[in-house]
């Protein structure tokens, strides 16, 4: 496994601030690794974990904290409505400069990082785009199950229309592979809540200067252990800082 990225090197570039989401359980995934990863990021050691050993490994791998650059860090219910509500809250945070005033807001770049699990994956996947199609194979945690419907009706009725991240995920993925992580670029975030989240995020923030959205799929802890995943998350933030600054 790659070494934890500890030490005094720092994980973020000044002026780049992060807003992070993960997800809780959903049908077929009673214990979501992104919940453990996100709770580890914010140092919430009392958060529920599917496995205490996994939680301890995550915390030990989390030797570098994003610190003051971590503006928001939340585990969301796997629910389209919850996602929409939270994106609205993030929009308010960004527009207010997170309490730093207009000068601070003007000097800051923001990266919204959404983490989700792909239980079939064996690698980390940086999603390059999202599609304006909600076609849920299962109801979300609120019982909502759209079929062949647009994620954002105001983006049009073309269910094949896509929005792309403004981040250079090809370069970032290559850098992460150089760092020792098995990472690839994906062009398909599915049609469930992950893709819904990503398209809604890209659409909401597409005209906001200095704001970037990215969806990252992680595998289960059976495929890649918790300590390695925690180290990956920290290194990912470092690489994102370089691209968004």
């Amino acid at each position: 496994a790659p070494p934890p990225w500890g030490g005094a090197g720092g994980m973020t570039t000044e002026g780049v601030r992060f807003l992070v989401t993960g997800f809780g359980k959903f049908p077929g995934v009673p214990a979501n690794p992104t919940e453990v990863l996100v709770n580890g990021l914010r140092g919430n050691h009392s958060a529920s974990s599917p496995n205490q050993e996994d939680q301890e490994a995550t915390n030990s791998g989390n030797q570098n904290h994003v610190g003051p650059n971590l503006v928001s860090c939340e585990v969301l219910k796997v629910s389209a409505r919850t996602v929409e509500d939270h994106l609205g809250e993030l929009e308010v945070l960004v527009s207010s400069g997170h309490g730093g005033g207009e000068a601070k807001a003007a000097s800051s770049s923001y990266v919204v990082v959404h983490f989700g699990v792909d239980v079939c994956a064996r690698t980390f996947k940086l999603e390059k785009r999202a599609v304006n199609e909600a076609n849920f194979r299962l109801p979300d945690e609120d019982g909502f199950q759209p079929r062949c419907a647009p994620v954002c009706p105001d983006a049009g009725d073309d269910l094949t229309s896509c929005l792309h991240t403004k981040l250079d995920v090809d370069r970032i993925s290559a850098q992460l592979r150089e760092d020792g992580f098995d990472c690839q670029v994906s062009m398909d975030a599915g049609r469930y809540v992950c893709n819904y989240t990503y398209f809604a995020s890209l659409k909401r923030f597409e005209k906001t200067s200095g704001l970037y959205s990215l969806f990252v799929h992680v595998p289960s802890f059976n495929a890649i252990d918790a300590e390695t995943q925690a180290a990956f998350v920290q290194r990912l933030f470092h690489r994102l800082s370089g691209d968004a600054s």
Side-chain angles (χ1 to χ4, degrees), residues 59-80:
N59 291 335
S60 67
N62 186 32
Q63 294 183 16
N64 269 321
H65 296 278
V66 186
N69 286 17
L70 185 61
V71 175
S72 173
C73 191
E74 296 294 336
V75 175
L76 306 180
K77 181 166 69 170
V78 179
S79 151

Side-chain angles (χ1 to χ4, degrees), residues 3 5 19 25 27-28 49 52 56 71 74 87 112 114 137 148 155 158 161-162 170 194 207 209 215 222 242:
W5 295 96
L19 306 105
K25 66 179 180 64
S49 169
Q52 184 62 33
E56 291 172 355
V71 175
E74 296 294 336
L87 290 176
V112 183
H114 305 288
R137 56 187 174 79
C148 300
D158 183 1
S161 65
C162 299
D170 293 290
C194 291
K207 296 181 181 179
S209 177
F215 199 101
N222 290 328

Side-chain angles (χ1 to χ4, degrees), residues 19 74 84-94 204:
L19 306 105
E74 296 294 336
E84 294 282 5
D85 289 345
H86 188 66
L87 290 176
E89 294 169 2
L90 295 185
E91 188 172 28
V92 171
L93 273 176
V94 171
R204 182 178 290 267

Side-chain angles (χ1 to χ4, degrees), residues 103-127:
K104 180 65 178 177
S107 65
S108 297
S109 294
Y110 290 87
V111 183
V112 183
V113 185
H114 305 288
F115 288 103
V117 62
D118 180 349
V119 294
C120 297
R122 309 296 296 179
T123 65
F124 300 106
K125 298 194 294 184
L126 308 186
E127 298 294 344

